[in-house]
């Protein structure tokens, strides 16, 4: 509880400091330190013009997302000292990115995107962290003679910058653009190509990126893509060479069933996503779909997509014979973002998606974002905030948010309460599960500067059925240019 009180206190302080008029009235400033009215948050995009008319340019985007959390850990979680830890409080860097793209001609475009993700106080860095990194294997085992850790493994320090996107693109004609590289023109669903700059919830549910950090590089694969718009139809198609990873599956003797897992293979994968835009068209210069337009557009889209990767997983039968399986993933979704009242500025955003995932029999992956828990845990979730996230089966996810009237905060910003609901029914477990997220966005300057507070509930599994639930409070600050 004390962690939650501290986190709420921090939230109120940031909201307080974000309201310049309130700060001006209550802080005693000298005559040379008068508070400047900061209600005008507008700025010109960070652009370098390459021609007099501005048709040729380089656009730069920079963004940071910082998290502070209080987590109710899964049963059996250990802390950094090896002792049982029921709750944890931490702070970390969810994303720190730089993206640049150059429209050097109406016929071609080049894009580069790099950064880091998921650095916490105990992980996310390079092995050993260099000479000043954490030299210990966590939970830390200390040598009584030296006082230092006895192994060289994990570190939080000096995270490795890496490329997220690298591609070149050529215009064939107005309805067709083709490109190649390490790209994000994903199939399956709208949320599989979601921008991380304008989420409505604090983050994606992760199962929207079902290949994450296995056959892709942070939701990207090498490949060829084609994209464009034909009337009200928006499409993206790709032929990819997935990353080769995995040691294959096994046979579960206790329950007498095969368990699939990824294998190294040399197959190409196909993917695509096609949507019909009933109202206004969305910009498709870049692949990143918007999460919430905050009443600035009228959008209603229905879409569907797929990803197919032959022979990408394997399992074993009762006789030990290896059987290979295709990865076949399908998504159907709907997105609505519409202003409700022009005078008050209210708007509704809602999204729903259904996934049918087939990775082979009983495939399952547990994921814990920025997980700071250790040990094996005593549930099937594992330690920390991990949960069964991706697997063979069906997933339904929906989220909705309501942009409150602008008169509530006036020039100090906008508020948007939101909620999300998820149902997962994986073949690996004997029953499905429901979970939810509730939160509030405080937009100081649209998505360019916002503070998000969210509570997320997750199911706990034991003996292949849900045995309970646990929660996590997340406070995020985001600024991007």
């Amino acid at each position: 509880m004390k962690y939650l009180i501290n986190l709420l206190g921090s939230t109120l302080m940031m909201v307080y400091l974000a309201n310049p008029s309130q700060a001006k009235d209550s802080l005693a400033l000298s005559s040379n330190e008068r508070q400047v009215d900061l209600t005008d948050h507008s700025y010109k995009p960070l652009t370098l013009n390459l021609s007099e008319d501005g048709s040729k340019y380089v656009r730069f985007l920079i963004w940071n997302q910082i998290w502070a959390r209080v987590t109710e850990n899964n049963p059996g979680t250990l802390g950094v000292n090896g002792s049982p830890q029921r709750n944890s409080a931490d702070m970390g860097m969810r994303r720190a990115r730089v993206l640049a793209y150059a429209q050097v001609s109406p016929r071609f475009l080049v894009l580069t995107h790099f950064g880091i993700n998921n650095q916490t106080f105990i992980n996310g860095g390079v092995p050993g962290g260099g000479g000043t990194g954490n030299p210990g294997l966590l939970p830390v085992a200390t040598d009584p003679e030296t006082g230092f850790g006895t192994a060289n493994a994990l570190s939080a320090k000096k995270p490795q910058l890496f490329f997220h996107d690298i591609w070149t693109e050529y215009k064939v004609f107005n309805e067709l653009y083709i490109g190649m590289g390490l790209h994000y023109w994903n199939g399956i669903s709208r949320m599989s190509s979601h921008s991380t700059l304008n989420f409505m919830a604090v983050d994606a549910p992760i199962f929207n990126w079902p290949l994450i950090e296995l056959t892709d590089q942070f939701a990207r694969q090498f490949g060829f893509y084609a994209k464009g718009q034909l009337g009200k139809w928006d499409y993206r198609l790709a032929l990819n060479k997935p990353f080769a990873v995995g040691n294959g599956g096994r046979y579960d003797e206790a329950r007498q069933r095969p368990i699939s897992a990824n294998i190294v293979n040399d197959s190409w994968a196909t993917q695509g996503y096609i949507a019909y835009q009933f109202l206004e068209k969305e910009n498709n210069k870049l692949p990143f779909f918007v999460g919430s337009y905050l009443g600035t557009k009228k959008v209603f889209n229905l879409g569907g997509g797929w990803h197919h990767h032959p022979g990408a997983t394997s399992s074993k039968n009762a006789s030990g014979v290896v059987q290979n399986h295709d990865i076949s993933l399908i998504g159907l979704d709907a997105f609505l973002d519409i202003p409700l009242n022009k005078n008050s500025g209210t708007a509704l955003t809602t999204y729903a998606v259904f996934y049918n995932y087939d990775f082979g029999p009983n495939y399952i992956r547990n994921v814990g974002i920025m997980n700071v828990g250790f040990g094996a845990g005593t549930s099937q979730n594992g330690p920390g905030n991990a949960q069964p996230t991706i697997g063979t089966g069906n997933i339904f996810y929906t989220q909705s948010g309501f942009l409150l009237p602008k008169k509530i905060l006036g020039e100090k910003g906008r508020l948007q309460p939101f909620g999300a609901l998820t149902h997962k029914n994986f073949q690996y477990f004997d029953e499905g599960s429901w979970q939810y997220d509730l939160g509030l966005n405080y937009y100081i300057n649209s998505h360019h500067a916002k503070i998000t507070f969210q509570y997320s509930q997750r199911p706990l599994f034991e003996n292949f059925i849900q045995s309970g639930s646990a929660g996590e409070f997340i406070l995020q600050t985001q600024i991007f240019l």
Side-chain angles (χ1 to χ4, degrees), residues 24 58 61 98 125 201 237 242 270 304 340 354 414 427 436:
K24 178 170 62 177
V58 181
L61 291 90
V98 176
L237 308 169
T270 62
L340 298 178
F354 172 78
R414 304 295 300 275
Q427 188 182 55
Y436 66 88

Side-chain angles (χ1 to χ4, degrees), residues 319-336:
S319 302
V321 177
V322 174
Q323 298 175 318
N324 291 338
H325 313 284
D326 296 349
I327 292 179
S328 297
L329 314 174
I330 297 174
L332 298 171
D333 59 10
F335 175 70
L336 174 68

Side-chain angles (χ1 to χ4, degrees), residues 156-380:
K157 296 183 179 179
K158 303 176 182 176
Q160 182 70 55
L161 285 171
F162 70 94
F163 287 109
H164 292 67
D165 297 284
I166 295 283
W167 76 73
T168 53
E169 179 181 287
Y170 301 87
K171 177 182 178 181
V172 180
F173 42 82
N174 287 336
E175 294 78 20
L176 174 63
Y177 295 76
I178 59 174
M180 62 184 294
L182 184 66
H183 71 86
Y184 192 63
W185 294 94
N186 291 326
I188 309 177
S189 73
R190 176 189 184 90
M191 193 164 263
S192 302
S193 297
H194 206 300
S195 168
T196 61
L197 291 174
N198 44 52
F199 287 127
M200 183 167 60
V202 76
D203 210 324
I206 305 306
F207 49 72
N208 58 299
W209 298 308
L211 312 171
I212 193 76
E213 286 301 277
L214 278 180
T215 60
D216 66 28
Q217 179 168 296
F218 226 77
R220 281 83 173 170
Q221 293 182 342
F222 284 113
F224 306 92
Y225 70 84
K227 60 99 170 182
Q229 292 183 342
L230 298 169
K232 288 185 172 291
W233 293 95
D234 181 279
Y235 71 91
R236 56 190 65 195
L237 308 169
L239 175 65
N240 291 348
K241 190 73 170 179
F243 289 91
V245 62
N247 296 314
R250 58 186 176 86
Y251 184 78
D252 183 351
E253 295 287 351
R255 292 174 67 86
Q256 297 186 356
R257 61 180 186 173
I259 305 294
S260 298
N262 292 79
I263 59 172
V264 172
N265 81 341
D266 195 35
S267 300
W268 289 77
T270 62
Q271 65 177 355
Y273 177 74
I274 301 172
Y276 188 79
Q277 306 175 101
F278 289 89
L279 301 178
E280 294 184 44
K281 288 185 178 181
E282 296 185 90
N283 190 310
N284 73 338
K285 175 180 284 291
L286 302 182
F288 311 108
F289 281 117
V290 171
S292 179
Y293 282 105
L294 305 180
T296 61
K297 287 180 73 72
K298 294 181 180 180
V299 178
F300 176 52
N301 296 350
L302 296 179
W306 80 93
H307 176 95
H308 182 72
H309 185 186
T313 68
S314 75
S315 64
K316 294 181 180 180
N317 62 20
S319 302
V321 177
V322 174
Q323 298 175 318
N324 291 338
H325 313 284
D326 296 349
I327 292 179
S328 297
L329 314 174
I330 297 174
L332 298 171
D333 59 10
F335 175 70
L336 174 68
D337 196 308
I338 192 165
L340 298 178
N341 186 297
K342 183 177 180 180
N343 293 329
S344 65
T346 56
L348 173 68
T349 302
T350 188
Y351 176 74
V353 59
F354 172 78
Y355 295 111
N356 176 259
Y357 287 166
D358 185 358
F359 295 88
N362 301 297
Y363 182 102
I364 195 72
R365 283 184 66 192
N366 287 9
V367 178
I369 298 300
M370 296 170 63
N371 196 343
V372 297
F374 289 93
T378 57
S379 71
Q380 290 176 286

Side-chain angles (χ1 to χ4, degrees), residues 432-451:
S433 63
W434 291 91
Q435 61 193 93
Y436 66 88
D437 309 280
L438 294 172
L440 178 70
N441 285 312
Y442 169 43
Y443 297 103
I444 304 170
N445 180 26
S446 184
H447 291 285
H448 294 278
K450 71 178 181 180
I451 299 170

